[in-house]
Structure formats: structure tokens, C-alpha cells
Amino acid sequence: MSVSEMFAALQGALGQDQDIREEIRKVVQALEQTAREILTLLQGVHQGPGFQHIPKKCQKAREHFGTVRTQMESLKTKFPADQYYRFHEHWRFVLQRLVFLASFVVYLESETLVTREAVAEILGIEADRERGFHLDIEDYLSGVLTLASELARLAVNSVTAGDYSRPLRISTFINELDSGFRLLNLKNDSLRKRYDGLKYDVKKIEEVVYDLSIRGLNKEATAGGGGEK
């Protein structure tokens, strides 16, 4: 084979690779749009009246995740099944965002931490890498850390809305989450850096709880039976 023939073959391979990446990019753009719609919907819980409509907002978000599952099915067909990590960078960010949104919905519904398996089911993908397109552990953890930041914000806005019991429950949840992360030996630099930010979320929530304590509102919250979820 001549040099020109060799490079012609290489160009053909590069062209195929570029075509795959372009197809992936189109689906990822659609996923990003759906994620923005879900986020916009859930942001309403931070406003005063939004606390009264949490179940309805969660139900609507669940409906949007139906679209996510359809888009994920499309994404799975755009690249060879054995080359997940070769193209992983293209959908990593939006997948982490979707993990956060799914975990936020589950928290608002039950005030519990969603499992990786449950998130994978919500998104219509696998939990185990051996079964194909899956939810990487680090993507799951990154999404959960974003949830912590969102709950820190929710704790502040709960007080503004007159819900004094919610920050206490959020504080308990975040402290348990922090304890869980302390059990991990994180070596991924990006994930480690994001975990380092968790301490600021913990501190922010502790300040809210302390302020409630100083004002005597924590006793009012406890006497109220835990408040509305």
C-alpha cells in the first residue's frame, strides 16, 4: 500500500468517527434541552407558592423523563456498543445533570437518596457496565453532589416561605450524605474537587438551622410535627 493509499484509508476512518460524533452531538443537544425543561419546572419549588405544588411538579418532571428515556434509546444506537468510554465525554455533563434532576425529584417525593440503580431505571439505561450503555459511578456521584448544593439553596428558601421544619430535615439528610462520601477514597480530581464543595453546603445549611435555633423557630417546627413534604 502506498503512502497516499494509507492516508486515504486513515481519512476514511476519521470521517466515520466524525460522523458518529456529529450524530451523538445531535442527540445530546436534545437531551440538554429536555434537562433544561425539567430544571425550569423544578426551580419553581424555590418560590413561596411552589412548596404547595411539589407533588404536581414532580409528576410533571416524571413525564419529562419519559422523553429522556426515548432520547437515551436513540443515543445508544449512535456508536458501537463496545466504545462507550471512547465517546463518554460527549454526554457526561448532561448525564450528570440528569442524575441530579432525577435525585432531586426523588428527594422531593420521599426525602431519601435515590440509588444508582433507581436513577438508571429513571433514565432508561443500565446500572452495570457489562450490560451496555450504563450510568458510570462517578457520574452518579457528581449528580448527587449537585443535589447537595440545590438542597442548601432550598433550605434557605424554605425559611423565607415560612417552612421551618424542612431545613432541619435537609440538614439531617446532608450530614448523612457527607458521612457517606467520607467513606469513599476519591481519586478522580474533578469529582474530588466537587466533593470538597460539599463542606460549604453543609456549613450553609448549619447556619440556617442555627439561625432558626436562635430565633426559637426550630422548636416551633418540631412542635408542628415536621411540616409538609
Side-chain angles (χ1 to χ4, degrees):
M1 181 182 293
S2 67
V3 172
S4 60
E5 288 173 335
M6 289 172 57
F7 276 84
L10 291 173
Q11 177 55 42
L14 287 173
Q16 290 179 352
D17 191 72
Q18 289 170 354
D19 290 342
I20 291 174
R21 293 180 186 278
E22 179 60 24
E23 289 299 309
I24 290 174
R25 186 185 66 82
K26 291 177 182 177
V27 181
V28 168
Q29 283 183 332
L31 279 167
E32 289 172 341
Q33 177 58 37
T34 306
R36 283 193 291 270
E37 292 172 2
I38 298 173
L39 179 61
T40 299
L41 174 66
L42 294 178
Q43 288 301 294
V45 305
H46 289 287
Q47 301 166 4
F51 285 92
Q52 303 169 15
H53 305 295
I54 284 178
K56 185 179 296 184
K57 290 182 182 297
C58 289
Q59 181 180 355
K60 278 184 163 288
R62 291 275 186 177
E63 293 172 3
H64 280 293
F65 277 111
T67 302
V68 169
R69 287 191 289 273
T70 300
Q71 292 166 338
M72 283 294 185
E73 284 299 320
S74 176
L75 180 58
K76 296 174 187 177
T77 67
K78 302 305 181 185
F79 64 97
D82 61 346
Q83 297 186 20
Y84 177 92
Y85 283 106
R86 181 180 181 188
F87 300 103
H88 179 230
E89 286 296 321
H90 290 278
W91 60 74
R92 184 178 66 172
F93 176 79
V94 70
L95 191 55
Q96 291 175 0
R97 174 59 62 89
L98 289 168
V99 170
F100 150 61
L101 294 170
S103 63
F104 193 26
V105 168
V106 170
Y107 179 83
L108 291 173
E109 290 173 339
S110 61
E111 297 191 358
T112 59
L113 176 62
V114 68
T115 64
R116 184 165 67 99
E117 291 75 15
V119 175
E121 183 177 349
I122 291 171
L123 301 183
I125 58 180
E126 302 293 340
D128 299 326
R129 63 185 299 174
E130 292 80 9
R131 301 182 65 179
F133 195 107
H134 63 283
L135 175 56
D136 185 83
I137 292 177
E138 291 179 353
D139 289 337
Y140 166 73
L141 293 174
S142 292
V144 169
L145 287 170
T146 304
L147 171 66
S149 297
E150 191 73 8
L151 292 181
R153 179 184 172 207
L154 186 63
V156 174
N157 291 329
S158 296
V159 176
T160 304
D163 185 346
Y164 305 130
S165 65
R166 190 178 298 272
L168 305 181
R169 301 196 304 272
I170 289 176
S171 177
T172 299
F173 176 83
I174 293 297
N175 277 299
E176 290 177 353
L177 192 63
D178 183 46
S179 296
F181 269 94
R182 290 178 185 275
L183 297 175
L184 303 178
N185 181 20
L186 300 176
K187 295 182 179 179
N188 179 297
D189 291 341
S190 175
L191 185 59
R192 178 74 200 189
K193 187 178 295 183
R194 295 193 65 178
Y195 166 62
D196 288 341
L198 179 59
K199 63 184 178 183
Y200 298 107
D201 296 324
V202 172
K203 182 179 179 182
K204 184 176 182 179
I205 296 169
E206 286 177 345
E207 289 174 349
V208 173
V209 172
Y210 177 73
D211 184 59
L212 289 174
S213 177
I214 291 297
R215 295 159 60 188
L217 296 175
N218 60 332
K219 296 178 180 178
E220 178 182 326
T222 303
E228 295 293 330
K229 289 188 179 181

